[in-house]
Amino acid sequence: MKKVISVLLAGVMALSLAACSGNKQADSGSASKSAQAASEAKSEAAAQSSAKAETSEESVELNVLMLHIIGSIEDSQKVEDEINAYIEPLINATVKFEWLDLGDYVDQINVKLASGDVIDVLPNFSMMMPAMYASESIMPLGDLVAQYGDGIVAALGEDYLNCGKINGELYSIPITNAFAQNSAFIYRQDIAEELNLDFSNVKTLEDMEGIFEQVQAAHPELTMICCNSFTDPQLREYDWEGLSDEYGVLMDPVNSTEVVDLFETEEYMDYCKLMNDWYSKGYIQSDCATCTEQLTSLLDSGLYFGTIAKDYPGNVEEKFGTSKYQIKAVQLTEQISTTTLVTNNVMTIPTTSQNPEKAMQFINLLYTDEKVQNLISYGIEGEHYRLVDGKA
């Protein structure tokens, strides 16, 4: 498959609200269940959108910001035309995409909002949400979702949707993603098979000590844990909820909403002692704090056995699917869902929107209509990608 367009209709919202629905534990299939619900809601939502489109009115054009992460957008206009030909009969509206690169996305959004640019659909980042709410740059969405977003509610569920509320009012819509995560050790399967490593008794980070001893004895040239300056926070925010900045944390997010000072806890002291011990033994990459190389490249270098990272269903295939080595993961912590995680990627409608109703109808299609989803993610079937065994 050749992916011509690879984007993230996303934003991030770190309002430090502790946890969605009481920080309750989430099952490992949360993301897949949301995706299934969205697919099942497709036909009904499309029919509703079509029925609600007031065809007697002139079609409107929606200005939609798009975050470009990887891949070519050379044929984006062709894909945009294909999307418009499909959605105009459904919602009596078309879209005009404006592509912004990840590197200056935040700065450009701030400039556009400050200038009063008309934006109808805005993928958002978490650090921007508090300021946007305070400056009234984004509009409340509760009434719009109630009228035009039945498919969104069906795809997400009320609990996850409620995570987008600020002071009791909905301002953002979480994008279907991995709503639950756990810490895991990601490792090279070839080394594990060669040494016949047994992970069956590995339940905690401390249990990895015996594994490291075996690998180091057989392969002294390998460092056990690779990391970089971007993933290093995953070593710090290991088995607690950092509430986005780690100044106050939930040490037991599944069972308690008590916010404590991480650096005063015995758990963090024990964790630091373990990391220091492993670093002195050469288990951890020596330049971890300053390295900027991607984890995939580090593992492909053949110098490392694995890494500690956040994990979720499909994570290994998504991030390490093109690795030169077979990559596996062993779970080290309980999988949980938090508000910070759920609202990591969100959709918003700025107050400069001139057609918020149509904007919500289009957002509804993003959650319910398989054709719209595939066009945005992959391009035009048969031209930009093909299906193999029913998968793109």
Side-chain angles (χ1 to χ4, degrees):
M1 177 193 70
K2 176 186 177 184
K3 286 189 179 180
V4 173
I5 295 180
S6 182
V7 300
L8 179 64
L9 282 174
V12 203
M13 177 181 174
L15 296 178
S16 302
L17 299 181
C20 179
S21 299
N23 252 319
K24 64 183 180 181
Q25 181 179 2
D27 64 89
S28 61
S30 60
S32 60
K33 288 180 180 178
S34 294
Q36 181 180 1
S39 177
E40 292 173 350
K42 179 186 69 173
S43 298
E44 180 181 355
Q48 290 174 346
S49 294
S50 180
K52 291 173 181 173
E54 299 178 15
T55 54
S56 61
E57 296 181 356
E58 184 178 352
S59 177
V60 302
E61 183 178 77
L62 301 173
N63 294 319
V64 180
L65 291 191
M66 298 285 276
L67 175 56
H68 174 225
I69 298 179
I70 59 174
S72 170
I73 55 174
E74 181 180 351
D75 284 354
S76 60
Q77 185 60 55
K78 182 182 296 186
V79 174
E80 180 182 306
D81 293 341
E82 190 81 5
I83 291 173
N84 285 333
Y86 176 71
I87 69 171
E88 188 169 22
L90 296 179
I91 63 174
N92 199 31
T94 59
V95 294
K96 181 63 179 177
F97 294 144
E98 181 177 357
W99 297 85
L100 303 180
D101 288 330
L102 177 61
D104 56 358
Y105 187 75
V106 172
D107 290 339
Q108 289 195 57
I109 288 177
N110 284 329
V111 171
K112 288 178 177 296
L113 292 175
S115 302
D117 288 9
V118 175
I119 304 173
D120 295 295
V121 178
L122 174 63
N124 236 314
F125 284 125
S126 62
M127 62 280 211
M128 303 181 68
M129 289 298 296
M132 286 186 176
Y133 168 73
S135 64
E136 300 183 349
S137 298
I138 51 177
M139 64 176 58
L141 305 177
D143 291 342
L144 290 171
V145 169
Q147 188 170 0
Y148 302 106
D150 289 348
I152 296 172
V153 178
L156 292 175
E158 290 286 351
D159 286 346
Y160 288 133
L161 184 62
N162 286 339
C163 291
K165 290 184 176 181
I166 305 175
N167 289 334
E169 178 61 65
L170 185 69
Y171 280 89
S172 66
I173 301 172
I175 290 177
T176 52
N177 206 331
F179 288 158
Q181 291 184 357
N182 58 271
S183 289
F185 187 75
I186 314 291
Y187 63 91
R188 284 173 49 182
Q189 186 181 9
D190 62 318
I191 299 296
E193 291 180 347
E194 173 196 336
L195 303 180
N196 195 28
L197 300 176
D198 182 9
F199 288 92
S200 62
N201 292 320
V202 174
K203 307 298 181 183
T204 68
L205 187 61
E206 290 80 2
D207 295 334
M208 289 298 302
E209 180 93 30
I211 298 292
F212 292 160
E213 290 175 352
Q214 295 179 65
V215 176
Q216 189 176 65
H219 290 280
E221 77 282 2
L222 291 180
T223 299
M224 299 302 102
I225 301 173
C226 66
C227 50
N228 60 30
S229 58
F230 299 111
T231 59
D232 182 53
Q234 295 177 351
L235 288 176
R236 298 196 309 269
E237 190 176 313
Y238 174 68
D239 194 19
W240 48 84
E241 165 55 29
L243 301 179
S244 79
D245 59 18
E246 297 181 27
Y247 291 119
V249 305
L250 304 178
M251 290 305 294
D252 186 12
V254 174
N255 301 306
S256 173
T257 56
E258 180 185 4
V259 178
V260 300
D261 185 340
L262 172 66
F263 307 114
E264 292 183 349
T265 63
E266 292 184 9
E267 293 91 338
Y268 188 69
M269 174 62 78
D270 293 340
Y271 183 80
C272 290
K273 288 179 178 178
L274 179 65
M275 292 296 103
N276 181 66
D277 180 53
W278 282 2
Y279 190 84
S280 65
K281 291 177 178 178
Y283 289 168
I284 299 177
Q285 180 183 342
S286 60
D287 63 342
C288 179
T290 58
C291 175
T292 58
E293 194 169 350
Q294 296 292 322
L295 288 176
T296 50
S297 299
L298 290 171
L299 286 177
D300 278 351
S301 71
L303 300 175
Y304 304 96
F305 174 50
T307 187
I308 299 171
K310 293 298 183 182
D311 192 31
Y312 51 84
N315 174 52
V316 169
E317 294 80 4
E318 175 187 335
K319 293 183 178 177
F320 301 98
T322 59
S323 173
K324 64 189 293 186
Y325 301 107
Q326 244 344 80
I327 303 297
K328 292 290 185 179
V330 56
Q331 183 172 334
L332 301 176
T333 65
E334 191 171 9
Q335 190 172 83
I336 62 172
S337 179
T338 67
T339 294
T340 302
L341 182 60
V342 171
T343 56
N344 193 44
N345 304 316
V346 296
M347 301 298 296
T348 60
I349 299 179
T351 51
T352 59
S353 173
Q354 296 180 353
N355 298 283
E357 294 83 6
K358 295 298 181 183
M360 183 56 68
Q361 289 181 46
F362 174 67
I363 292 174
N364 193 61
L365 291 178
L366 296 177
Y367 287 79
T368 60
D369 195 290
E370 184 177 355
K371 183 167 184 177
V372 175
Q373 295 166 350
N374 285 338
L375 281 167
I376 290 176
S377 298
Y378 306 115
I380 301 171
E381 183 178 355
E383 182 172 349
H384 301 130
Y385 75 96
R386 61 188 178 87
L387 296 178
V388 178
D389 296 330
K391 297 181 180 180

